[in-house]
Amino acid sequence: MFSTVSQTAILLLAFTISHCTAQSFHGAEDPRIRTALTLEHPVNGVSTTPGGRLFILYARIDGSKGPQVAEYDRTTNTSTPYPNAEWNSYTATSDPATHLIRTNSQRIGPDGHLWLVDTGSPAFGAPVILPNGPKLVVINLATNKVSHIYSLGNATLSTSLIDDVRFNPASNMAYVTDAGAPAIILLNLATGDTRRVLVEDPSTSAYMPISAEGKLVHTSAGAFERIYADQHEVSPDGKWYYYQPSNGGLSRIQTKYLDQAFHNATLAQELGQYRQPYAHTPSTGGTAIDAHGNIYVSDTDSQRIVRVWPNGTMTLLVQDPRLLWVDAMWVDTQQKLWMPAAQLNRGTPFNNGTSYVVPPLHVFTIELGIGPSPVDHA
Ligand SMILES: *[C@@H]1O[C@H](CO)[C@@H](O)[C@H](O)[C@H]1NC(C)=O
Ligand SMILES: *[C@@H]1O[C@H](CO)[C@@H](O)[C@H](O)[C@H]1NC(C)=O
Ligand SMILES: *[C@@H]1O[C@H](CO)[C@@H](O)[C@H](O)[C@H]1NC(C)=O
Ligand SMILES: *[C@@H]1O[C@H](CO)[C@@H](O)[C@H](O)[C@H]1NC(C)=O
Ligand SMILES: *[C@@H]1O[C@H](CO)[C@@H](O)[C@H](O)[C@H]1NC(C)=O
């Protein structure tokens, strides 16, 4: 009896692995793809203003040192630490509340400000510095000054990886993914109060490790690398929140349940009842959403971008061998999709300290013909 069950389990596991680990792509380049930036070091996030300013986030997974957040000048191809060198100069003796410890993502919000998501952990997998390390840092782009800091210390565990932020302007809430300890963090932007929900729910957890270029990714200790709640989007009408772990499997839940759960502990415990499967996405580096509610998903295995239509159907947008671990994407007001090919799986956190990143790195664009969602960014 026992052996029958375990054989079935092994067969199921074998099927799951072969089914979920997709192949690496070595086909032709797609001429629709344009090179926007050529860089020495990996960048895992870009954002642009309607006026043409450009902000980038250096991932620092290739052994390089230096600022993480920078403003990029496309006429000189130079980057300047942003908002300044001091914020980007964290060392073990710095005040964790007023320095960027390790920024995981950045984006311009619907308010037109630049939002930086600081994990509060000095190195990938290192314990979070509590309570003041994990935070959202908001920068006013008119003054280039930090205008607000939201501490996430009360909603963060030492094993957390505070990952990314999205907004629901109608309820003045922000949603933050925790990729290190499975959960979504609800943040009331008026009060700064927080609540962890969907804690270790199947929809925020990773039933499989992340996979890239056809291979499962490992930690430096040799374990399988699981990256929990990571990519997420809010629908342009503000009604739906879409979220997934990095290994894929996109779920959705109505934002009204998240927002009510912020004030209602009973509902917060029962939130898992209100989520739905949305799309069987692949292992993913990053996503973006457009004004029509299409979600773009970068497949870390197969060097492609998948489009998830608002009805949940997936189609291929583009596949190209250069799209090596495209991380957080961005839809600009010129109706282009920005794709930073960051090669993260080749970096030090996943190869026991050695970097196999091959420079130069590129940020690519492709024409979408659709602009950004107004609840996503200006
Ligand atoms: C800046 O980089 C772009 C994209 O790689 C390139 O086309 C352009 O020639 C560069 N400009 C300068 C001044 O180096
Ligand atoms: C964290 O919780 C403590 C105790 O309830 C409270 O005093 C403090 O204001 C909270 N901090 C934040 C940033 O919400
Ligand atoms: C990683 O590198 C360290 C130090 O070089 C070594 O002791 C350890 O065994 C390596 N881990 C794996 C999983 O290979
Ligand atoms: C809190 O949520 C529970 C479960 O959905 C519901 O039964 C209850 O009426 C809610 N309480 C309030 C005050 O809305
Ligand atoms: C979903 O939307 C796409 C794009 O509009 C369309 O091609 C497809 O037929 C739709 N699928 C269903 C099942 O409605």
Side-chain angles (χ1 to χ4, degrees), residues 218-223 351-353:
H218 292 84
T219 68
S220 283
N351 298 287
N352 201 12

Side-chain angles (χ1 to χ4, degrees), residues 6-18:
S6 61
Q7 274 166 18
T8 309
I10 288 163
L11 277 173
L12 275 173
L13 188 65
F15 175 78
T16 310
I17 288 169
S18 63

Side-chain angles (χ1 to χ4, degrees), residues 13-318:
L13 188 65
F15 175 78
T16 310
I17 288 169
S18 63
H19 182 72
C20 292
T21 305
Q23 72 280 14
S24 190
F25 177 70
H26 301 285
E29 295 185 358
D30 188 313
R32 294 173 299 163
I33 288 186
R34 297 293 156 86
T35 302
L37 309 179
T38 302
L39 304 155
E40 307 240 336
H41 304 294
V43 153
N44 64 327
V46 296
S47 52
T48 59
T49 67
R53 292 177 77 184
L54 172 63
F55 300 91
I56 62 174
L57 179 64
Y58 285 108
R60 301 297 177 200
I61 49 86
D62 59 342
S64 65
K65 303 258 183 266
Q68 277 209 288
V69 184
E71 181 164 9
Y72 194 85
D73 182 332
R74 294 184 73 187
T75 49
T76 58
N77 287 343
T78 52
S79 59
T80 309
Y82 198 82
N84 55 41
E86 180 62 27
W87 268 94
N88 279 280
S89 70
Y90 176 78
T91 64
T93 55
S94 308
D95 176 5
T98 56
H99 293 83
L100 296 167
I101 298 169
R102 201 169 55 83
T103 312
N104 195 65
S105 58
Q106 58 80 55
R107 60 191 307 102
I108 293 168
D111 60 359
H113 292 349
L114 184 68
W115 291 67
L116 309 179
V117 180
D118 188 354
T119 60
S121 141
F124 197 90
V128 175
I129 298 168
L130 290 170
N132 292 331
K135 57 191 174 291
L136 302 182
V137 178
V138 190
I139 303 163
N140 180 330
L141 295 181
T143 61
N144 301 313
K145 296 248 173 358
V146 172
S147 60
H148 205 103
I149 300 170
Y150 289 98
S151 170
L152 299 175
N154 284 351
T156 306
L157 313 185
S158 70
T159 53
S160 286
L161 197 178
I162 298 298
D163 190 278
D164 199 6
V165 64
R166 290 295 183 278
F167 305 94
N168 186 2
S171 60
N172 205 21
M173 296 288 290
Y175 311 123
V176 177
T177 44
D178 189 338
I184 306 297
I185 296 168
L186 309 177
L187 167 65
N188 180 324
L189 292 173
T191 64
D193 293 337
T194 50
R195 183 190 278 274
R196 287 174 75 83
V197 296
L198 295 165
V199 174
E200 286 173 24
D201 187 81
S203 63
T204 53
S205 303
Y207 82 108
M208 284 287 286
I210 181 119
S211 178
E213 297 186 65
K215 293 194 292 280
L216 296 177
V217 175
H218 292 84
T219 68
S220 283
F224 288 118
E225 181 65 74
R226 285 184 161 76
I227 303 179
Y228 307 115
D230 183 327
Q231 296 88 16
H232 58 166
E233 300 295 345
V234 172
S235 63
D237 62 8
K239 290 203 173 122
W240 290 97
Y241 178 67
Y242 306 95
Y243 63 103
Q244 66 167 37
S246 243
N247 60 291
L250 187 61
S251 298
R252 69 171 185 173
I253 187 168
Q254 290 190 56
T255 54
K256 69 177 181 189
Y257 294 122
L258 295 178
D259 297 346
Q260 287 165 17
F262 186 79
H263 302 287
N264 182 334
T266 312
L267 179 59
Q269 287 301 318
E270 298 169 355
L271 263 188
Q273 295 176 16
Y274 297 98
R275 62 167 160 74
Q276 307 167 357
Y278 185 59
H280 201 322
T281 48
S283 240
T284 305
T287 57
I289 193 165
D290 70 21
H292 295 177
N294 297 302
I295 297 173
Y296 303 92
V297 175
S298 71
D299 179 341
T300 48
D301 270 321
S302 299
Q303 291 81 52
R304 58 189 184 132
I305 308 298
V306 171
R307 184 198 302 242
V308 185
W309 297 86
N311 62 13
T313 298
M314 294 192 290
T315 56
L316 179 68
L317 177 75
V318 62

